[in-house]
Amino acid sequence: MPATDPAPAPDPGALRRHPRLFRAAGRRKQPRLRRTDITVTDEAAVRRAVKAASLGNAMEWFDFGIYAYLAVTLGHVFFPSGNDTVQLLSSFATFAVAFLVRPLGGTFFGPMGDRLGRKKVLALTMVLMAVGTFAIGLIPSYASIGFWAPVLLICFRMLQGFSTGGEYGGASTFIAEYAPDRRRGYFGSFLEFGTLAGYVAAAGLVTALTAWLGTDTMEAWGWRVPFLVAGPLGLVGLYLRLRLDETPAFQRLESDTAHVPEAVDAPETTTRGELAKIFRRQWPTLILCVALVGAYNITDYMLLSYMPTYLSDELGYSETHGLLILLLVMVLLMVLLPRVGRLSDRLGRKPVLMTGMLGFLLLSLPAFLLIGRGGVPAVTAGMLMLGLSLLCMLGTMSAALPALFPTDVRYGSLSVGYNLSASLFGGTTPLVITALIGATGSNLMPAYYAMGAALVGVIAVACMKETAQQPLEGSPPSVETREEAAEMVMARAPEPKF
């Protein structure tokens, strides 16, 4: 929000003449913190919330990971034979289609989550994602039904993208509002643990099926298996989410607004009214969110989605070879991820995020030069350089982004900002990099693209405020124990005067 001018200091003479009046006015502006104002979290409930949100995120990226890792195969199955590059570009264009509708999903599900609650909307997005992914596994090939094969693929990819528009903003909001203030980074890191788990599961399943069935059988029917697995996974995720209670912050918000007259609230109760409120009041923070997410998503999709295709199509490695190296890197990142979340709680979000952005800015070119030399040690070292830089963002972003916005518009604002940026920069990354390599003939274009994104990220991190160990805006403080709550009340109580 734009900075406001500080209130003028009271006249010293008036302050001496009317001390009680000024003390009363000060208490109205900054009321004393009471024990009932503080949320004491339930450790078991927090862990259930983290598990349910993370599983949904894992399923989302399992679905997207499958498509990315099978991009070459799906290009052969769903598009006319001929030029392999054209087939690959067509496949990546269809991958990007899901991201083009994500902002629509964000503007639909985000305000709904602020109005109806986080839990209900997250259950709905889970169902739609599972249906879209499962349906892709049932589509006949281009050889069977011709033009209708890519049309159906695009339709179900759009359903995936629409549902995903409400997923990340809701899941990160859900965890942030459940977690205690001092451990929000640690618990938030498990959302991205789910991201990596989804990618690992997708890469592992695709690698195992390709090694077992072979390329010809994968193109004939094996590619369907990973998509069909999404159906049962969706049911499990739905069950876990429906068992949860609404977040304490949203319950408190509902309680505080329960006595507001209906006429006062009416202008903002529609989706259009809520979106207008978001853009009118939160536009500076939305721009910051778009910049942060853009830098994060370009580097994320470049490494976790595009890299296997880069290794196989541009450098001539087998598909299995590239996926195995990426699997090794992702498993290592999963092991380190909670530690980075804890580090962001202790040091702050900004130092950890800045480390990741500077890592991509300075190390992308050396990493791709190493990868281009070939050989397992060089390729692994290059991907680890990129992976460790990405780790700083993965372990921090899911706690930093929800803290940018106040509680009453958090789900909607984050969904709009995140998905707008993901649509423009995230899902288009494989397509843009493939096109840039084709236009320039340089295999170093992914490095230059990542460096440009990281430079924007450095500026965005420098502009954001530190939120580690602070209450979420618009929500009361959240602590782990009653003793901690009592200490907080005593620490903020005014000193007695004698």
Side-chain angles (χ1 to χ4, degrees), residues 168-192:
Y168 184 89
S172 58
T173 294
F174 201 80
I175 292 178
E177 292 182 350
Y178 253 108
D181 295 334
R182 293 183 180 179
R183 300 181 69 194
R184 191 175 300 119
Y186 170 70
F187 285 115
S189 69
F190 283 96
L191 186 65
E192 300 298 352

Side-chain angles (χ1 to χ4, degrees), residues 409-434:
V409 293
R410 181 170 298 125
Y411 196 153
S413 300
L414 182 52
S415 293
V416 169
Y418 186 93
N419 290 294
L420 181 62
S421 187
S423 173
L424 293 173
F425 307 112
T428 58
T429 295
L431 178 65
V432 170
I433 293 177
T434 302

Side-chain angles (χ1 to χ4, degrees), residues 21 86 127 146 165 195 313 316 318 465:
L21 180 62
V86 172
V127 171
T195 298
D313 268 37
S318 70
K465 64 180 181 180

Side-chain angles (χ1 to χ4, degrees), residues 1-60:
M1 295 293 292
T4 56
D5 295 331
D11 177 66
L15 188 59
R16 285 194 301 272
R17 290 191 300 272
H18 308 286
R20 293 183 180 179
L21 180 62
F22 279 97
R23 281 200 299 269
R27 283 196 297 269
R28 289 190 64 183
K29 291 181 180 179
Q30 294 181 330
R32 295 179 184 178
L33 185 67
R34 298 170 298 176
R35 168 61 190 82
T36 54
D37 295 330
I38 301 174
T39 300
V40 180
T41 61
D42 177 5
E43 179 82 7
V46 173
R47 292 188 179 277
R48 283 197 304 271
V50 170
K51 185 187 301 181
S54 300
L55 180 62
N57 210 46
M59 179 186 162
E60 174 188 344

